[in-house]
Amino acid sequence: MKIEESVPLARHTTIGTGGPARYFARPESLDELEEALGWAAERGLEVAVVGLGSNLLPADAGFEGLVLRLAGDLAGVDTEGALLVVGGGAANAVALHRARAAGLGGFEFACAIPGTSGGGVWMNAGAYGSEWSQVLVRALVVTAEGSGWLTPAELGLSYRHSELRHGQVVARAEFRLTPAPVGEIKARVSELNAQRKAAQPTNKRTFGSVFKNPVHELTAGRMLEACGLRGFCVGGAQISPKHANFIENAGGATSADAVALMAEARRRAREQYGVELRHEVELLGPIELPA
Ligand SMILES: Cc1cc2nc3c(=O)[nH]c(=O)nc-3n(C[C@H](O)[C@H](O)[C@H](O)COP(=O)(O)OP(=O)(O)OC[C@H]3O[C@@H](n4cnc5c(N)ncnc54)[C@H](O)[C@@H]3O)c2cc1C
């Protein structure tokens, strides 16, 4: 397996920002994954996985460790009876396509989530009232020390959260689905896609929801809209004019621009509503939100 150096993470994120990963590898099997983790451990390097980068904001200074992108067998998709069995690097769109072809329903909500199964486990991805924890049976988590299958409870899945930490790699996942007519699955996906298109910026470079919804009558998006933030810009980053809980790369944005927008959004939500917004997007490397 080739280990590349200085690979720009901007190429691996949907927002299109972020500096270089010092080392980058694409393991295609469990053996290669273990080899990569061992290689990093010997050198004392931190390891992080990038899925489709759809919930990731890497520092402009980059990441001083090894970034892994799961490929080959680790991005494969199959069905076994009512189980959807996927590699951690499998795109949700591919997994959904396979489930539909096998007449298995219950994964339609993932049509709205442009990531991988491993990224979904990391943050218990969800949409339209469904989430990973409801369909996930178990995930194979691999570290430099060994591997084991963990259930949703053992992964600590809750609202857009798991207890996983960098260095723990979701290599496989199994989802229990329900037999359903293909036509019904297709119709549900079309309906969800139409809802999504009407409410959110779907043809822009974003990383999905910026903040988790607070415990409040207003969602994060409605709150930031009421704070007058729709269309607000810092550098090349802009709060989406369509949905205030999205940040768009309007051209030449840096991760620092996005962080500055997030800090301003948090400040206004705190001042106007007394609410401390918590970010949903994952930050990687030397990058943090000011308190
Ligand atoms: C337009 C748009 C709409 C979105 N809508 C939704 C939505 O409705 N609901 C929702 O929940 N999310 C949504 N998202 C966010 C995003 O798609 C999800 O969080 C998705 O699960 C991230 O998966 P990913 O593979 O892209 O992970 P990445 O963004 O690449 O990584 C996110 C985190 O997961 C970790 N990770 C990724 N893969 C693995 C692995 N195999 N093992 C261990 N850790 C891993 C990374 O290290 C990082 O910490 C949206 C994003 C966009 C751009």
Side-chain angles (χ1 to χ4, degrees), residues 120-133 156-163 209-215 218-221 245 277-280 282:
V121 173
W122 176 280
M123 58 92 75
N124 190 22
Y128 301 111
S130 300
E131 58 185 22
W132 252 229
S133 64
L157 299 192
S158 59
Y159 171 59
R160 304 296 170 267
H161 174 82
S162 75
E163 294 294 335
S209 297
V210 180
F211 296 105
K212 300 182 189 198
N213 282 323
V215 183
L218 292 180
T219 60
N245 199 24
L277 289 175
R278 289 178 304 132
H279 58 93
E280 181 165 317
E282 291 293 334

Side-chain angles (χ1 to χ4, degrees), residues 62-178:
F63 178 69
E64 269 301 301
L66 171 66
V67 171
L68 299 175
R69 174 132 193 195
L70 307 185
D73 188 33
L74 298 178
V77 180
D78 217 339
T79 55
E80 290 171 14
L83 279 188
L84 177 65
V85 182
V86 300
N92 298 334
V94 176
L96 174 58
H97 188 268
R98 177 60 66 92
R100 191 181 60 198
L104 292 175
F107 202 58
E108 295 86 312
F109 70 94
C111 71
I113 306 174
T116 61
S117 70
V121 173
W122 176 280
M123 58 92 75
N124 190 22
Y128 301 111
S130 300
E131 58 185 22
W132 252 229
S133 64
Q134 294 164 352
V135 282
L136 182 72
V137 179
R138 57 180 192 160
L140 178 64
V141 177
V142 181
T143 68
E145 287 77 43
S147 62
W149 287 93
L150 301 182
T151 62
E154 289 164 337
L155 290 158
L157 299 192
S158 59
Y159 171 59
R160 304 296 170 267
H161 174 82
S162 75
E163 294 294 335
L164 289 172
R165 293 292 167 267
H166 289 308
Q168 293 181 289
V169 181
V170 176
R172 293 198 196 294
E174 292 178 0
F175 300 95
R176 182 165 303 284
L177 304 182
T178 317

